[in-house]
mmCIF file of all heavy atoms in Angstrom:
data_model
loop_
_atom_site.group_PDB
_atom_site.id
_atom_site.type_symbol
_atom_site.label_atom_id
_atom_site.label_comp_id
_atom_site.label_asym_id
_atom_site.label_seq_id
_atom_site.Cartn_x
_atom_site.Cartn_y
_atom_site.Cartn_z
ATOM 1 N N VAL A 682 8.786 19.987 12.842
ATOM 2 C CA VAL A 682 9.830 19.104 13.366
ATOM 3 C C VAL A 682 9.588 17.686 12.879
ATOM 4 O O VAL A 682 8.483 17.347 12.436
ATOM 5 C CB VAL A 682 9.880 19.136 14.910
ATOM 6 C CG1 VAL A 682 10.130 20.550 15.410
ATOM 7 C CG2 VAL A 682 8.592 18.568 15.516
ATOM 8 N N LYS A 683 10.638 16.847 12.995
ATOM 9 C CA LYS A 683 10.535 15.495 12.444
ATOM 10 C C LYS A 683 10.917 14.388 13.420
ATOM 11 O O LYS A 683 10.986 13.229 13.023
ATOM 12 C CB LYS A 683 11.418 15.382 11.192
ATOM 13 C CG LYS A 683 10.928 16.203 10.024
ATOM 14 C CD LYS A 683 11.738 15.888 8.787
ATOM 15 C CE LYS A 683 11.155 16.595 7.582
ATOM 16 N NZ LYS A 683 11.915 16.249 6.356
ATOM 17 N N THR A 684 11.173 14.735 14.660
ATOM 18 C CA THR A 684 11.521 13.699 15.640
ATOM 19 C C THR A 684 10.688 13.870 16.900
ATOM 20 O O THR A 684 10.205 14.969 17.209
ATOM 21 C CB THR A 684 13.011 13.765 16.035
ATOM 22 O OG1 THR A 684 13.255 14.955 16.797
ATOM 23 C CG2 THR A 684 13.909 13.740 14.802
ATOM 24 N N GLU A 685 10.532 12.778 17.632
ATOM 25 C CA GLU A 685 9.807 12.828 18.894
ATOM 26 C C GLU A 685 10.506 13.738 19.897
ATOM 27 O O GLU A 685 9.842 14.495 20.623
ATOM 28 C CB GLU A 685 9.689 11.418 19.477
ATOM 29 C CG GLU A 685 8.800 10.496 18.673
ATOM 30 C CD GLU A 685 8.861 9.067 19.150
ATOM 31 O OE1 GLU A 685 9.627 8.776 20.101
ATOM 32 O OE2 GLU A 685 8.146 8.239 18.585
ATOM 33 N N ASP A 686 11.832 13.668 19.946
ATOM 34 C CA ASP A 686 12.572 14.488 20.900
ATOM 35 C C ASP A 686 12.338 15.981 20.658
ATOM 36 O O ASP A 686 12.115 16.755 21.605
ATOM 37 C CB ASP A 686 14.069 14.183 20.825
ATOM 38 C CG ASP A 686 14.409 12.800 21.356
ATOM 39 O OD1 ASP A 686 13.534 12.174 21.989
ATOM 40 O OD2 ASP A 686 15.548 12.344 21.135
ATOM 41 N N GLU A 687 12.369 16.383 19.391
ATOM 42 C CA GLU A 687 12.096 17.786 19.063
ATOM 43 C C GLU A 687 10.671 18.152 19.434
ATOM 44 O O GLU A 687 10.414 19.242 19.959
ATOM 45 C CB GLU A 687 12.303 18.019 17.567
ATOM 46 C CG GLU A 687 13.718 17.981 17.069
ATOM 47 C CD GLU A 687 13.767 18.152 15.569
ATOM 48 O OE1 GLU A 687 13.363 17.211 14.846
ATOM 49 O OE2 GLU A 687 14.199 19.233 15.113
ATOM 50 N N CYS A 688 9.746 17.243 19.159
ATOM 51 C CA CYS A 688 8.333 17.507 19.464
ATOM 52 C C CYS A 688 8.126 17.681 20.967
ATOM 53 O O CYS A 688 7.450 18.621 21.407
ATOM 54 C CB CYS A 688 7.476 16.367 18.931
ATOM 55 S SG CYS A 688 5.712 16.598 19.201
ATOM 56 N N ILE A 689 8.698 16.793 21.763
ATOM 57 C CA ILE A 689 8.567 16.879 23.221
ATOM 58 C C ILE A 689 9.124 18.207 23.733
ATOM 59 O O ILE A 689 8.510 18.884 24.575
ATOM 60 C CB ILE A 689 9.284 15.691 23.894
ATOM 61 C CG1 ILE A 689 8.534 14.395 23.590
ATOM 62 C CG2 ILE A 689 9.396 15.907 25.398
ATOM 63 C CD1 ILE A 689 9.292 13.139 23.997
ATOM 64 N N LYS A 690 10.264 18.589 23.229
ATOM 65 C CA LYS A 690 10.881 19.851 23.640
ATOM 66 C C LYS A 690 9.996 21.038 23.299
ATOM 67 O O LYS A 690 9.787 21.952 24.124
ATOM 68 C CB LYS A 690 12.247 20.005 22.962
ATOM 69 C CG LYS A 690 12.961 21.303 23.304
ATOM 70 C CD LYS A 690 14.297 21.395 22.572
ATOM 71 C CE LYS A 690 14.978 22.734 22.841
ATOM 72 N NZ LYS A 690 16.277 22.833 22.116
ATOM 73 N N GLU A 691 9.454 21.042 22.093
ATOM 74 C CA GLU A 691 8.608 22.161 21.672
ATOM 75 C C GLU A 691 7.291 22.193 22.446
ATOM 76 O O GLU A 691 6.802 23.260 22.817
ATOM 77 C CB GLU A 691 8.343 22.085 20.165
ATOM 78 C CG GLU A 691 9.566 22.306 19.287
ATOM 79 C CD GLU A 691 10.141 23.694 19.428
ATOM 80 O OE1 GLU A 691 9.394 24.648 19.737
ATOM 81 O OE2 GLU A 691 11.372 23.851 19.239
ATOM 82 N N LEU A 692 6.700 21.039 22.695
ATOM 83 C CA LEU A 692 5.455 20.997 23.473
ATOM 84 C C LEU A 692 5.660 21.569 24.868
ATOM 85 O O LEU A 692 4.776 22.240 25.413
ATOM 86 C CB LEU A 692 4.934 19.563 23.576
ATOM 87 C CG LEU A 692 4.362 18.927 22.307
ATOM 88 C CD1 LEU A 692 4.025 17.465 22.564
ATOM 89 C CD2 LEU A 692 3.141 19.690 21.794
#
Side-chain angles (χ1 to χ4, degrees):
V682 302
K683 292 188 174 182
T684 69
E685 292 172 358
D686 291 348
E687 289 177 289
C688 182
I689 291 170
K690 179 181 176 181
E691 293 296 332
L692 289 174

